[in-house]
Amino acid sequence: MAGKQKYEAVMGLETHVELLTETKMFCGCKISFGEDKNIYTCPVCLGHPGTLPVVNKKAVEYALKIALALNCSINHYTIFHRKNYFYPDQSKNYQISQFDLPLGVKGYLDLDMGDYTRRVNITRVHMEEDTGKLVHTGSTGRISEAGASIVDFNRCGTPLIEIVTEPDIRTPEEARQYMVELRNLILYLEVSDCSMEQGSLRCDANVSIRKQGAGTLGTKTEIKNLNSFKFLQKGLAYEIKRQTALLESGKEVIQQTRHYDNNTDTTKALRSKEEAHDYRYFPDPDLVPLNIEQELIDRVAASIPELPQQKAARFKKQYGLSDYDADFLANDTYMSQYFEDVCQHYGDAKAVCNWIMGDFSALVNQQQIPFEKAKVKARDLAEMLKMIDSGKISSKIAKSVFEQMFSTGRKPEAIIEEQGLTQISDTGLLQGIIDEVIGNNPEAVSQYREGKQKAIGFLIGQVMARTKGKANPKLVNEMIVKKIK
Ligand SMILES: [Zn+2]
């Protein structure tokens, strides 16, 4: 076998998701982002001695929603543990987490990789609390160049869900796709804003290399805190290359925690990996065990909406869309809803899809606004499409009408009336213009008569220019051909 094919990579991901509850996991402090430092803290989330944490019911429901959407079995009896470690942004010296009885176990997520499907098994979904945040002073924000580090405890105690996969991922592309699909799924559940920039969705990646076909796993390294799809994919690609080079030169991979540096596109060692027993987990004596009743599971399960993959499958069947179109629409909860709203008023789903994925998406991207904030009402887009079909406006004019609908939120009828954009299908009016264009362009006319089909396009273009794009091009074509044949 060729050198490069001798090894295969084995990857697993641990993803952290901050939940969108109003209050923290074990106290009543408000959850906020980007406000003044240390304004949402209390003795409970700071871990003062003698204080008693109380489980946030909403957070448990949200966690259940995620576990169920990932096809997990639910532990009816579940408890919280203390995970003991010292870290400056963790004032109690332990984090409340779950150890041997996590909320959800043995789930899966199927990745659509285009040519194949990759099933990624989910080992566990557990609940925990987030830590505070260290802010390093100085312009670079890096600890090595900071004059001081200050602690902001607003984030400490935010409900956090950890989703751990089996080592089922084989390529950096699969890892990326896993994060993309997981993020879409959680956004659909409306339990987190999944903002990777703000840290509400972040992941650690384990990666090891082994001889192709080997049954055992190689020594793994862990890349910490990957907070973008791109960094995840690039960090893993670098780490696979690094480990492969080590093994090929007869050296060993050392088990360690590494950091991906996007400036150099490399990973660097942070520390040797702690073993789980270093954390000295023990059941939190201040928290009672949770009994997850079947009734609660049923109620949460019933509240799970149609998920992206199910929606894409339905779009293919119901509207006859291609795989690509269906996935594109279904991956965005607002866009897919909008698509269906337009289809309520207008029957050609493919045309609706083309407008949303084409002109609509282009304007959304250009103006960098979220899709759901766009001003074009579904009914108005449907009306505009009907006007193209009936010949009231040309598809060229429609583009400009749509741009105005997008920037003003006005109805297409109003824009068309006001600016006199109605398509000219009046043969009497067009005949005069066509005669003139034919008279002025004898060369194009003779070229057409000699069999050059392209010449007709030039003549149509002249008519369109004179009518400022308002002539019905199909009709113009017919009339010119009839005239000069
Ligand atoms: Zn608090």
Side-chain angles (χ1 to χ4, degrees), residues 37 87 142 217 371 412 438 447:
K37 314 252 178 297
Y87 210 69
R142 283 188 213 160
L217 295 172
F371 188 90
I438 289 173
Q447 278 175 353

Side-chain angles (χ1 to χ4, degrees), residues 18 24-25 30-33 38-41 45 87 89-90 129-134 152-160 198-200 202 225:
E18 277 183 356
K24 292 185 179 180
M25 186 72 205
K30 195 182 149 189
I31 291 173
S32 72
F33 180 81
N38 294 311
I39 55 172
Y40 299 121
T41 63
C45 53
Y87 210 69
D89 60 6
Q90 178 85 306
E129 54 175 348
D130 212 344
T131 60
K133 214 170 165 181
L134 281 182
D152 177 7
F153 285 112
N154 280 350
R155 196 180 71 175
C156 88
T158 298
L160 202 61
Q198 296 177 2
S200 42
R202 49 192 200 261
N225 260 328

Side-chain angles (χ1 to χ4, degrees), residues 14-63:
E14 291 173 13
T15 308
H16 284 99
V17 187
E18 277 183 356
L19 297 181
L20 261 186
T21 50
E22 279 171 29
T23 55
K24 292 185 179 180
M25 186 72 205
F26 300 108
C27 65
C29 287
K30 195 182 149 189
I31 291 173
S32 72
F33 180 81
E35 290 186 61
D36 288 346
K37 314 252 178 297
N38 294 311
I39 55 172
Y40 299 121
T41 63
C42 73
V44 175
C45 53
L46 293 176
H48 289 188
T51 55
L52 287 175
V54 177
V55 177
N56 182 335
K57 201 175 157 207
K58 204 84 209 162
V60 175
E61 289 184 15
Y62 284 3

Side-chain angles (χ1 to χ4, degrees), residues 321-322 325 328-329 339 348-362 381 385 399:
L321 298 182
S322 69
D325 291 352
F328 186 95
L329 292 175
F339 164 76
D348 185 349
K350 178 62 184 160
V352 175
C353 171
N354 287 346
W355 272 90
I356 292 176
M357 289 170 66
D359 293 58
F360 204 149
S361 293
L381 176 54
L385 293 171
K399 280 178 178 286

